[in-house]
Amino acid sequence: IQFYMANKGPSYGMSWEAQSRIEKKYDEGLEERLVEWIIVQYGPDVGCPDRGRLGFQLWLKNGVIHKLVNSLYPDGSTPVNLPENLPSMVFKQMGQVAQFLKAAEDYGVTKTDMFQTVDLFEGKDMAAVQRTLMALGSLAVTKNDGHYRGDANWFMKKAQEHKREFTDSQLQEEKHIRAATEGPPRLA
């Protein structure tokens, strides 16, 4: 017997409208690209999902998402421990999704790009899951550390910080230039 954490009956009124808007954000073309990347990134052992939101959701939550994030780390470093058999208890399955989220955050995905556990586990917002995977792919391309596999054009590179160092004499020169252009101080 499986117990679910929430009683999910049909939605009506406002909740139906809200869920409908969320579902419209899901991009089937993006799903195809993400599936292609995950298969290239991890290898054909991950199989291929049934097309559509539900097939993608089941495929990811049945261990594929964990294999993906582990493949972005160096060999021997697996941030998500994968049991030989997927856990049958709901809270343990949700714990596996939480492990993925922690590993993605440690990899560099920002909290604002992260989906919530229920978004994947219950299929509440698969568009949010797609956004997280896009952020993960973009980071992998940007890091360019040899662990990304696939076409680098599948993802946009993240902007990288370019710190500039100034010598004390350059900073002093800037102060003198500002003082010369601002004129004498005004009295109030």
Side-chain angles (χ1 to χ4, degrees), residues 165-172:
E165 299 287 329
F166 296 102
T167 63
D168 287 338
S169 64
Q170 288 173 319
L171 293 172
Q172 286 299 322

Side-chain angles (χ1 to χ4, degrees), residues 17 28 65 81 99 121 127 132 137 153 165-166 171 186:
E17 288 174 21
E28 290 184 7
I65 202 163
N81 296 322
Q99 279 187 44
F121 192 78
T132 300
N153 295 318
E165 299 287 329
F166 296 102
L171 293 172
R186 293 185 208 167

Side-chain angles (χ1 to χ4, degrees), residues 132-146:
T132 300
L133 294 176
M134 287 299 293
L136 187 64
S138 293
L139 275 169
V141 168
T142 303
K143 284 186 177 194
N144 197 20
D145 59 5

